[in-house]
Amino acid sequence: MIIEVDPDGDVPIYQQLRDRVVEAIATGALKEGSPLPSTRALATDFGINFHTVNKAYDLLRRQRLLRINRKSGAVVSRDASSGPAEPEFVADWTGRATTLLAEATARGLTRDDILDICRTVLATFGEESEES
Amino acid sequence: MIIEVDPDGDVPIYQQLRDRVVEAIATGALKEGSPLPSTRALATDFGINFHTVNKAYDLLRRQRLLRINRKSGAVVSRDASSGPAEPEFVADWTGRATTLLAEATARGLTRDDILDICRTVLATFGEESEES
Amino acid sequence: MIIEVDPDGDVPIYQQLRDRVVEAIATGALKEGSPLPSTRALATDFGINFHTVNKAYDLLRRQRLLRINRKSGAVVSRDASSGPAEPEFVADWTGRATTLLAEATARGLTRDDILDICRTVLATFGEESEES
Amino acid sequence: MIIEVDPDGDVPIYQQLRDRVVEAIATGALKEGSPLPSTRALATDFGINFHTVNKAYDLLRRQRLLRINRKSGAVVSRDASSGPAEPEFVADWTGRATTLLAEATARGLTRDDILDICRTVLATFGEESEES
DNA sequence: GTGGTCTAGACCACC
DNA sequence: GTGGTCTAGACCACG
């Protein structure tokens, strides 16, 4: 899992970290039970403040994607095959998706363009998660 | 076009405004040429500062969705039927979509769940734009 | 002399008008003594307020490029062959040129690129003013 | 780098600031990687509001001349030796240059006068950038 | 300590 | 009337 972070982007670093972890879970690079590096290790790797890594991990924990133990460090606590989504998450996610889809539509992408992109992206996920 | 804004949310007000306008364009409630309220009128309507509205309009202008005219105020300058999307926008959008789709996947939505939601949302758009 | 004005641009209309007239004088399309349309005629032609045309003419008058008579209307009062430039204009112009040249340099145009562009533009001027 | 700003001029302060920074980049006083003062520091230096500095920095950022980092503030992100200009910039710049050159021509500067001034100004740029 | 956001109110430029 | 600019001060997010 090679992760890159752009400290000059408009996206906060802690969120970039969160996003990369989420993507790694989606692609199957990280699975339920996979351990993550310690906050300090990750921080020195990227040359960023370890508070920033902490914040990213905390975000993931609140989104039920990470379990954090003082002893064993951070461990992925769910992935695509851990069970169905929570209804309240689906509602929230649908709202955010609506905005994103609206933007694509307004800027000139057709319904089929959009669905094709989604399908293409989704095809890159779960390549390793075809275990029932 | 009924718009609501939550001043206490974690999303900046000016971005909420931008999002609502984008969605209105996607659904066809706003079309190319549609006038928008003046910045000060919108501001008093929502009980917010006109600078905040200004920033939202400026965002939309930079995304080529709005044209600002000193005399007549803000006018929608593109919609779903205004032509194909710019390639650089597509690239950027795909990146953002990837993160969103990854989140859904990690949280337990299946590929088909996700595509169904997208299709459903997209179906609410462009109901009025099927004129050639 | 075909003139176009973009009411939605970031450049004020009265300045666009001024710029177009200045360019017309530079290319020789307008010469010392050439009459300009009345403010009201121009205004209705472009669908703009005649005060706007007035302001453009007033600017040109203050820059010694136009003479305005209540009777005979606006007349071009100088062109490229009307004599040497005033020193204070040269100083002011040099300052503005410095900023423009600096921008080109900072953005990656080389000294030769810039001079080539200037030469090319200047070559389109005065095609009709080669009378000594 | 000594910068002066005239709060009573017809040119907006934020644009004067932008112009001075651009010129500093062109002369080589600022190079890619050079840090700029914090918005609030600059603001108090000039006795202006920090929002005004903010706007100037934002302009420079949108023109790819500045990179803004939450931690370390603003850093120059390109200079004359950072690579060739973008075509769309060249087109836009040529348009603005045309108007400026037309004004000089109309006011009595000859082609050679103008090119001499340009050469003189350009000679003051990049005195320190002839490395490689 | 950095920039970002929001508010409030003033004045000006444009049309 | 419209938007644009500037000021002033408060609070928050980021690292």
Side-chain angles (χ1 to χ4, degrees):
Chain A
M1 180 178 68
I2 298 165
I3 283 186
E4 294 213 350
V5 160
D6 172 18
D8 295 330
D10 49 350
V11 181
I13 295 176
Y14 78 94
Q15 180 149 8
Q16 293 185 49
L17 269 177
R18 187 216 77 119
D19 291 346
R20 294 302 90 74
V21 171
V22 169
E23 287 160 17
I25 295 175
T27 61
L30 290 175
K31 288 179 186 305
E32 183 173 347
S34 299
L36 262 65
S38 77
T39 51
R40 281 172 177 83
L42 251 192
T44 52
D45 272 12
F46 293 148
I48 60 179
N49 195 302
F50 95 97
H51 287 115
T52 307
V53 182
N54 239 328
K55 190 161 187 174
Y57 278 16
D58 191 54
L59 254 186
L60 289 159
R61 185 184 57 77
R62 275 184 282 157
Q63 292 168 344
R64 320 270 178 171
L65 291 170
L66 227 59
R67 205 175 312 115
I68 302 184
N69 283 327
R70 196 175 306 271
K71 269 177 74 171
S72 49
V75 174
V76 175
S77 65
R78 88 155 285 153
D79 60 26
S81 56
S82 300
E86 304 164 22
E88 64 178 6
F89 167 75
V90 178
D92 171 66
W93 186 86
T94 302
R96 282 182 284 148
T98 300
T99 301
L100 197 68
L101 293 169
E103 186 174 349
T105 302
R107 293 289 290 271
L109 285 171
T110 68
R111 179 180 170 286
D112 291 337
D113 289 338
I114 294 170
L115 287 174
D116 275 348
I117 293 175
C118 290
R119 265 188 287 264
T120 303
V121 171
L122 288 168
T124 68
F125 296 163
E127 288 162 344
E128 324 176 34
S129 68
E130 64 263 11
E131 29 87 48
S132 151
Chain B
M1 181 179 70
I2 298 165
I3 283 186
E4 294 210 352
V5 159
D6 171 20
D8 295 330
D10 50 348
V11 180
I13 296 176
Y14 75 93
Q15 180 147 9
Q16 293 184 48
L17 264 179
R18 187 216 77 119
D19 290 347
R20 294 303 89 75
V21 172
V22 168
E23 287 159 17
I25 295 175
T27 61
L30 290 175
K31 290 180 185 305
E32 185 173 346
S34 300
L36 264 66
S38 79
T39 52
R40 280 159 173 97
L42 244 194
T44 52
D45 273 10
F46 292 151
I48 60 179
N49 192 280
F50 92 92
H51 285 118
T52 307
V53 181
N54 229 329
K55 193 160 186 175
Y57 278 16
D58 193 52
L59 257 186
L60 289 160
R61 186 177 57 81
R62 274 186 271 163
Q63 294 170 343
R64 320 263 177 176
L65 291 170
L66 231 57
R67 219 175 320 124
I68 311 253
N69 190 307
R70 293 171 221 276
K71 182 197 256 165
S72 48
V75 172
V76 175
S77 67
R78 85 156 286 152
D79 59 26
S81 57
S82 299
E86 303 166 23
E88 56 184 18
F89 167 76
V90 178
D92 172 65
W93 187 87
T94 302
R96 282 183 284 149
T98 300
T99 301
L100 197 70
L101 294 169
E103 186 175 349
T105 302
R107 292 290 290 271
L109 286 170
T110 67
R111 180 182 170 285
D112 290 337
D113 290 338
I114 293 170
L115 287 174
D116 275 347
I117 294 175
C118 289
R119 266 188 286 264
T120 304
V121 171
L122 288 170
T124 67
F125 296 163
E127 288 161 346
E128 326 175 33
S129 68
E130 63 260 13
E131 29 86 47
S132 154
Chain C
M1 181 178 68
I2 298 163
I3 283 185
E4 293 214 349
V5 160
D6 173 19
D8 295 330
D10 49 349
V11 180
I13 296 176
Y14 78 94
Q15 181 150 8
Q16 293 184 49
L17 269 177
R18 187 216 76 120
D19 290 348
R20 294 302 90 75
V21 172
V22 169
E23 287 159 16
I25 296 176
T27 61
L30 289 176
K31 290 180 186 302
E32 183 174 348
S34 299
L36 262 65
S38 77
T39 52
R40 280 171 176 85
L42 250 192
T44 52
D45 272 10
F46 293 148
I48 60 180
N49 195 303
F50 95 96
H51 287 115
T52 306
V53 182
N54 239 328
K55 189 160 189 175
Y57 279 15
D58 190 53
L59 255 186
L60 289 160
R61 186 185 55 77
R62 273 184 282 157
Q63 292 167 344
R64 322 268 177 171
L65 291 170
L66 228 60
R67 207 175 312 117
I68 302 184
N69 283 326
R70 195 175 307 269
K71 270 178 73 170
S72 48
V75 173
V76 174
S77 65
R78 84 157 287 152
D79 60 26
S81 57
S82 300
E86 303 164 23
E88 65 178 6
F89 166 76
V90 177
D92 171 66
W93 187 86
T94 302
R96 283 183 284 147
T98 300
T99 300
L100 197 70
L101 294 169
E103 185 174 351
T105 302
R107 293 291 290 272
L109 285 171
T110 67
R111 179 181 170 284
D112 290 337
D113 289 338
I114 294 171
L115 288 174
D116 275 347
I117 293 175
C118 289
R119 266 188 286 263
T120 303
V121 171
L122 288 170
T124 68
F125 295 162
E127 288 160 345
E128 325 175 34
S129 68
E130 62 262 12
E131 29 85 47
S132 151
Chain D
M1 180 179 70
I2 299 164
I3 283 185
E4 294 211 351
V5 159
D6 171 20
D8 296 329
D10 50 347
V11 181
I13 296 176
Y14 76 93
Q15 180 147 10
Q16 293 184 48
L17 264 179
R18 187 215 77 119
D19 290 347
R20 295 301 90 74
V21 172
V22 169
E23 286 159 16
I25 296 176
T27 61
L30 289 175
K31 290 180 185 305
E32 185 173 346
S34 300
L36 264 65
S38 80
T39 51
R40 279 158 174 97
L42 243 195
T44 52
D45 272 11
F46 292 151
I48 60 178
N49 193 279
F50 93 92
H51 286 119
T52 307
V53 181
N54 229 330
K55 192 159 188 176
Y57 278 17
D58 193 52
L59 256 186
L60 289 160
R61 185 178 58 80
R62 275 187 271 161
Q63 294 169 342
R64 318 266 179 174
L65 291 171
L66 231 58
R67 218 178 318 124
I68 310 254
N69 189 305
R70 291 171 222 276
K71 183 197 254 163
S72 48
V75 172
V76 175
S77 68
R78 87 155 285 152
D79 59 27
S81 57
S82 297
E86 303 166 23
E88 58 184 16
F89 166 76
V90 178
D92 172 66
W93 187 86
T94 301
R96 283 183 284 148
T98 300
T99 301
L100 197 70
L101 293 170
E103 185 174 350
T105 302
R107 293 292 289 272
L109 285 170
T110 67
R111 179 180 170 285
D112 290 337
D113 289 339
I114 294 171
L115 287 174
D116 275 346
I117 293 175
C118 289
R119 265 188 287 262
T120 303
V121 170
L122 288 169
T124 68
F125 296 164
E127 288 160 345
E128 327 176 32
S129 68
E130 66 258 11
E131 31 85 47
S132 163

